[in-house]
């Protein structure tokens, strides 16, 4: 039979192991990366095999590798992506979301990983010098974007007919179908758009000025109060910018380096 001393020894050892197990961190859960379910090439779009790819998808993979975390791309409707974050359906947002004062009241952001302005796109043969020449023109813009906010704030007074769409590809198609005259959208996405074979008759006519509507750059959105994750992701962003990973992906998708805030 076990002596009283041995029983006490094993009892103490068992208690210590139980305490150690209770204090050990649980295995990290997969980080669900929210991207807009509406394709937004070349930032996020579906490859021929049905998987998601693009600049931000590959950049998110590099960031996840840097923080040694399992990640999962989770497509979510753009109009509902912030509610999806705050209701814990996704863990972060990484889908060309500008850091604006309005959004910053609801969620937190990392440091920016790129900055972009808006671009006006129209037919090559159209004599257009925006914003002055937008009077009487039909301008298409995607809803719930900084470009829509800019259009409402700055273009109403010049009598432009502003039409709001749910998806950017709907705006693009209506321009090519002649249902609208001009697009206002992200300059980087529009640079890719006018290079498409079906869009050879269109060009960028001008750029928007730097404006508060466009915020402080594009960052990763996360729930308020997740300070450690915010710090970790910001550090990873700086690393992939400084080590050239972001620039390499940027050159691959845009033929230019857009990285940085």
């Amino acid at each position: 039979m076990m002596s009283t001393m041995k029983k006490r020894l094993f009892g103490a050892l068992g208690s210590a192991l139980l305490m150690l197990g209770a204090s050990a961190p649980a295995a990290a859960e997969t980080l669900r990366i929210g991207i807009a379910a509406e394709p937004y090439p070349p930032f996020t779009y579906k490859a021929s095999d049905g998987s998601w790819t693009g600049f931000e998808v590959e950049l998110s993979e590099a960031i996840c590798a840097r923080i040694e975390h399992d990640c999962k791309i989770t497509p979510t409707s753009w109009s509902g992506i912030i509610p999806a974050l705050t209701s814990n359906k996704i863990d972060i947002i990484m889908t060309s979301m500008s850091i604006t004062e309005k959004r910053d009241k609801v969620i937190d952001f990392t440091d920016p990983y790129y900055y972009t302005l808006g671009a006006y796109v129209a037919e090559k043969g159209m004599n257009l010098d925006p914003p002055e020449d937008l009077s009487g023109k039909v301008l298409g813009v995607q809803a719930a974007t900084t470009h829509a906010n800019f259009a409402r704030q700055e273009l109403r007074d010049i009598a432009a007919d502003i039409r709001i769409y749910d998806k950017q590809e709907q705006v693009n198609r209506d321009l090519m179908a002649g249902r609208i005259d001009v697009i206002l959208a992200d300059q980087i996405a529009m640079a890719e758009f006018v290079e498409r074979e079906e869009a050879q008759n269109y060009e960028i006519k001008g750029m928007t000025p730097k404006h508060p509507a466009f915020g402080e750059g594009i960052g990763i959105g996360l729930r308020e109060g997740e300070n450690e994750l915010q710090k970790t992701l910001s550090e990873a962003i700086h690393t992939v910018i400084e080590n050239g990973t972001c620039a390499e992906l940027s050159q691959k998708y845009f033929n230019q380096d857009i990285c940085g805030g």
Side-chain angles (χ1 to χ4, degrees), residues 21-118:
S23 62
E29 295 182 0
T30 299
L31 197 67
R32 298 162 298 175
I33 302 177
I35 65 169
E38 304 84 2
Y40 190 52
F43 293 94
T44 54
Y45 61 95
K46 284 190 176 183
S48 57
D49 63 359
S51 64
W52 284 91
T53 188
F55 170 71
E56 285 179 300
V57 174
E58 288 204 53
L59 186 61
S60 71
E61 292 170 352
I63 289 172
C64 287
R66 179 67 191 174
I67 66 176
E68 298 181 342
H69 213 302
D70 291 332
C71 294
K72 178 184 178 182
I73 295 296
T74 308
T76 306
S77 169
W78 170 256
S79 61
I81 202 163
I82 289 180
L85 176 67
T86 57
S87 63
N88 294 300
K89 293 178 181 177
I90 56 176
D91 299 306
I92 62 174
I93 296 172
M94 190 169 177
T95 187
S96 293
M97 180 168 281
S98 298
I99 305 167
T100 65
E101 184 178 355
K102 182 177 180 181
R103 289 171 179 156
D104 201 33
K105 292 178 180 178
V106 182
I107 64 175
D108 284 341
F109 285 93
T110 63
D111 292 344
Y113 52 94
Y114 82 88
Y115 185 90
T116 183
L117 296 172

Side-chain angles (χ1 to χ4, degrees), residues 15-27:
S15 297
L17 288 172
L18 286 171
M19 290 178 64
L20 179 61
S23 62

Side-chain angles (χ1 to χ4, degrees), residues 201-229:
N201 291 330
Y202 301 89
E203 65 183 0
I204 293 176
K205 295 290 188 178
M207 307 295 299
T208 60
K210 198 164 185 177
H211 188 276
F214 298 116
E216 302 171 12
I218 308 298
I220 298 175
L222 62 163
R223 284 181 288 274
E224 290 184 320
E226 297 189 337
N227 300 331
E228 192 61 36
L229 179 59

